[in-house]
Amino acid sequence: MICYNTEIDVVYRYWLKNISKYSEIKIMRGIIVNKEFFDALVKDRTDNANTLEKPSMSGVKSSVIDKYSEQAHFIYELLQNADDAKATYAVFKLYHDRLVFVHNGTKRFSVSNPETEDIDRENGCLGDVNSITSIGFSTKIEENTIGKFGVGFKAVFQYTKTPYIYDPNIKFKIENLIIPVLLENDHAERKENETLFEFPFNHDENDAETAFKAISERLSALVNPILFLTNLQEISFEFDDTKGEYKKEITKTYPFDNTKAERITLTQGLGEKSKITLLIFSRIDEESGRYAVGFYLDKEGRLTPVDEYAYCFFPTKENTGLNFIIHAPFLLTNSRES
């Protein structure tokens, strides 16, 4: 089965073979976009949005957007998005009227036929624009993938009504939670081969000051945000005169049959950075899921007991009662907290 998306090689080959059937291809800044699929997606999502506005559906939006016990938890969701896109770095730039998030992931946004979304999802080729404008219908259906629930990105709507997404393949904004709107112009801050998200603080209830305060506090106090991620090695953030970072460096690897031990140094914080050293033992199961145990080390390399929550890529709210940390692709609630 062919997966149809906005990647030049895929769409262009299919267009050449089916030029009479799919002739509405729009070229934007050198990128071929399947305009027919995008227009069909807009119509489908507009119909869905009208349904969500009905009184009988009033609880759906709030249940999707406000499912986290902590404010600004969507920052973890953005990092998940970047790691799944195979990014090695991510940058947060917080202004008093908006948040800009940038990463260098190599996986590009795509658009697929909304009429075949069920089949495309089963075959792993559902378009990313289709997924991000749906509810609970993610492209990431594998149990060992962070974004398997398909509702995490919706948490950004706690602070914005119109997230903007600037990808090398396609530029669009989202209105009414799920309606994509194509953009003609790129973002001035986006560099080549980067994907940039912009979230203006235009929420009806949470004003810009509330958003800035919640997000700045969260950025300054992330808990080991890249320790168990696969690709991200560095996160930086800045707001006002404040700059901070989170870095991961694997300083040594010890292979033992089917177990891999890694000595990892985490550098994080504001101004004078703190450093944490851990020894992580991990294995890969038969479904390619990674599970691990981790031990904190002091300056002399001795084990140090800790009291931390269980991790499923990021910290959950489940206390283990252990003196070390554990990570696995656990089955979680859709808020990923328990």
Side-chain angles (χ1 to χ4, degrees):
M1 180 177 178
I2 300 177
C3 297
Y4 314 121
N5 54 42
T6 56
E7 297 286 355
I8 292 179
D9 56 345
V10 177
V11 174
Y12 188 60
R13 284 202 303 269
Y14 184 75
W15 178 52
L16 288 177
K17 292 171 61 178
N18 302 271
I19 189 168
S20 61
K21 185 177 181 181
Y22 294 101
S23 57
E24 287 193 46
I25 302 293
K26 183 176 181 181
I27 299 179
M28 298 177 59
R29 296 180 178 273
I31 300 298
I32 298 177
V33 174
N34 192 315
K35 189 67 164 49
E36 181 172 340
F37 287 166
F38 191 91
D39 288 345
L41 185 64
V42 172
K43 183 180 184 306
D44 178 82
R45 298 307 192 252
T46 301
D47 292 341
N48 293 344
N50 291 335
T51 299
L52 289 175
E53 293 300 323
K54 294 181 178 180
S56 59
M57 296 287 105
S58 60
V60 174
K61 283 187 177 181
S62 60
S63 65
V64 170
I65 297 171
D66 300 323
K67 59 191 174 65
Y68 296 105
S69 62
E70 299 178 351
Q71 294 297 302
H73 194 281
F74 74 90
I75 288 174
Y76 284 113
E77 304 293 343
L78 296 178
L79 294 175
Q80 162 255 301
N81 177 283
D83 194 68
D84 288 344
K86 304 186 184 307
T88 58
Y89 70 79
V91 180
F92 292 92
K93 294 183 179 181
L94 177 60
Y95 304 92
H96 284 266
D97 62 345
R98 68 193 187 282
L99 172 67
V100 174
F101 174 68
V102 184
H103 67 72
N104 67 335
T106 56
K107 186 178 185 301
R108 305 302 180 211
F109 272 78
S110 59
V111 180
S112 61
N113 188 349
E115 294 183 1
T116 59
E117 287 181 330
D118 283 342
I119 298 174
D120 289 344
R121 183 173 185 260
E122 291 177 4
N123 287 277
C125 54
L126 178 69
D128 301 286
V129 181
N130 303 60
S131 176
I132 206 170
T133 58
S134 66
I135 298 176
F137 198 70
S138 174
T139 58
K140 306 157 189 173
I141 59 176
E142 299 87 355
E143 288 299 317
N144 61 338
T145 304
I146 312 173
K148 60 190 175 186
F149 297 112
V151 293
F153 182 81
K154 299 297 184 295
V156 304
F157 288 93
Q158 288 179 319
Y159 303 105
T160 185
K161 293 193 297 184
T162 50
Y164 287 71
I165 301 171
Y166 300 86
D167 182 79
N169 275 5
I170 186 171
K171 287 79 179 167
F172 65 102
K173 65 178 178 178
I174 302 175
E175 297 180 343
N176 294 340
L177 194 66
I178 56 174
I179 302 175
V181 177
L182 211 58
L183 300 173
E184 292 290 339
N185 297 318
D186 204 346
H187 195 284
E189 294 184 42
R190 191 185 75 84
K191 298 178 182 178
E192 187 178 4
N193 296 323
E194 286 185 338
T195 298
L196 183 148
F197 298 75
E198 184 173 66
F199 308 104
F201 298 148
N202 55 6
H203 195 273
D204 291 332
E205 298 177 7
N206 291 325
D207 59 23
E209 182 180 353
T210 299
F212 181 87
K213 183 176 184 297
I215 295 171
S216 60
E217 290 177 354
R218 170 60 67 186
L219 286 173
S220 302
L222 295 176
V223 179
N224 297 337
I226 53 179
L227 177 57
F228 292 112
L229 296 186
T230 303
N231 302 295
L232 270 179
Q233 302 295 316
E234 180 179 356
I235 302 167
S236 63
F237 63 91
E238 58 183 84
F239 55 87
D240 291 341
D241 296 326
T242 300
K243 292 186 178 182
E245 65 179 4
Y246 300 88
K247 286 185 177 181
K248 177 173 68 175
E249 182 183 4
I250 301 173
T251 58
K252 197 167 185 179
T253 301
Y254 314 85
F256 301 103
D257 297 326
N258 63 340
T259 300
K260 180 169 65 174
E262 297 172 313
R263 189 183 181 95
I264 294 176
T265 299
L266 299 179
T267 304
Q268 52 194 25
L270 307 171
E272 186 176 347
K273 310 297 189 300
S274 64
K275 289 193 175 183
I276 302 172
T277 303
L278 302 97
L279 196 58
I280 303 293
F281 295 85
S282 63
R283 291 178 181 169
I284 305 296
D285 65 19
E286 60 275 5
E287 296 181 356
S288 299
R290 179 176 179 243
Y291 56 101
V293 295
F295 301 90
Y296 280 72
L297 304 177
D298 63 17
K299 293 181 179 180
E300 286 71 39
R302 297 173 298 195
L303 300 183
T304 301
V306 293
D307 181 17
E308 286 203 26
Y309 296 119
Y311 283 71
C312 182
F313 300 98
F314 302 119
T316 66
K317 289 294 186 181
E318 293 292 332
N319 198 317
T320 67
L322 303 171
N323 288 325
F324 52 90
I325 57 177
I326 61 172
H327 158 76
F330 294 112
L331 180 62
L332 302 178
T333 61
N334 67 359
S335 69
R336 305 183 196 163
E337 292 184 340
S338 60

